[in-house]
């Protein structure tokens, strides 16, 4: 657990550090930002931060779990001055082309901020960098921390969408590359990863407006900023939906290509079967043991039958080549 101090005065700058934020020494009013490792430590530390709200915090933290213990997006006001933010996180790994999900929790009080993050989305690190950069010195320290966390969360979601878009573009090239193996498995894998990303990111837009509901005069995050954030999340969702539609179209195109190739193969097989059947028919005719077959006693009967077979096969071959079957 890392326990660092966050300056509350708007004029005090932030200095980013791994696992926390360090204030300048001359800060008069400080808000302590505590970072813990997982949900269990978060629940224990959250109850210690506000003893008067211990029971309410415990119930909210432990009850906010999705099916099969999947992370859920939720904003819960524990009290007028305490708000809990839980949200899934997502990140994309290039080596296996998969979307992985984690969880982020943030408990904000009048002078304390408690956060945890499970997974490698690195939302907290991005928030620390944002706090140390320009534009991160407006409002009280809790407001700035929450805004930085939410902005970083949306930024990470946008990066996941861009990475999935690149993966979809690579899959599109495979579909039209006839020299490669069937890309069906890759297309389905990407559709599954897009679904995973949407499950992790889309519910956030439904919960973000709750950050400004409790106190309209002094919201935790300004309504206009939240509207832009919600619009950004919805834009990411639309892009993911477009990627999913493109993958569906690519799958249809691939199946159409397979059908066309199968039809071409069937035409070739049928053409060669017809060419091979023709000499078989000639041989079958002269192989019948009828008494009155003039060519059976003809000196040139054997070369005549062979020539008839060859000429017939050549004629059929040229006909099939002309109509595009060979």
């Amino acid at each position: 657990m890392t326990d660092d101090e966050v300056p509350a005065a708007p004029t005090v700058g932030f200095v980013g550090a791994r696992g926390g934020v360090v204030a300048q020494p001359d800060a008069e009013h400080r808000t302590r930002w505590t970072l813990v490792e997982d949900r269990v430590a978060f629940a224990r530390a959250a109850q210690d931060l506000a003893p008067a709200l211990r029971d309410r915090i415990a119930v909210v933290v432990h009850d906010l779990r999705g099916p099969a213990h999947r992370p859920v997006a939720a904003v819960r006001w524990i009290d007028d001055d305490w708000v809990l933010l839980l949200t899934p996180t997502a990140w994309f790994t290039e080596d296996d082309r998969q979307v992985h999900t984690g969880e982020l929790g943030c408990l904000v009080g009048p002078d304390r901020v408690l956060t945890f993050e499970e997974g490698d989305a690195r939302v907290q690190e991005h928030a620390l960098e944002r706090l140390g950069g320009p534009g991160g010195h407006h409002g009280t320290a809790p407001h700035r921390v929450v805004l930085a966390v939410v902005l970083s969360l949306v930024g990470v979601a946008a990066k996941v969408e861009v990475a999935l878009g690149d993966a979809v573009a690579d899959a599109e090239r495979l579909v039209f590359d006839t020299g490669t193996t069937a890309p069906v498995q890759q297309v389905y894998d990407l559709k599954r990863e897009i679904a995973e990303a949407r499950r992790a990111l889309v519910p956030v837009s439904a919960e973000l407006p709750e950050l400004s509901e409790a106190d309209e005069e002094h919201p935790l995050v300004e309504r206009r900023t939240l509207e832009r954030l919600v619009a950004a999340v919805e834009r990411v969702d639309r892009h993911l939906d477009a990627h999913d539609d493109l993958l569906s179209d690519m799958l249809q195109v691939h199946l159409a290509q397979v059908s066309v190739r199968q039809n071409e193969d069937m035409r070739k097989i049928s053409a060669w079967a017809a060419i091979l059947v023709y000499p078989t028919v000639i041989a079958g005719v002269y192989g019948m043991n009828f008494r009155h077959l003039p060519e059976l006693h003809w000196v040139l009967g054997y070369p005549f039958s062979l020539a008839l077979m060859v000429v017939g096969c050549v004629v059929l071959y040229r006909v099939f080549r002309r109509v595009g079957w060979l």
Side-chain angles (χ1 to χ4, degrees), residues 13-14 32 47 53 59 88 90-91 100 119-120 129 131 142 155 163 196 200 253 259:
F14 286 90
R32 189 171 298 277
Q47 298 176 54
L53 303 174
V59 171
W91 67 96
H100 306 273
D120 295 330
E129 295 175 1
L131 287 171
E196 183 72 15
V253 169
S259 179

Side-chain angles (χ1 to χ4, degrees), residues 226-243:
L226 282 177
E227 290 176 353
R228 291 199 297 266
L229 291 173
V230 171
V233 175
E234 292 177 348
R235 183 167 58 252
V236 170
D237 179 54
R238 288 196 299 270
H239 290 173
L240 291 174
D241 188 51
H243 295 330

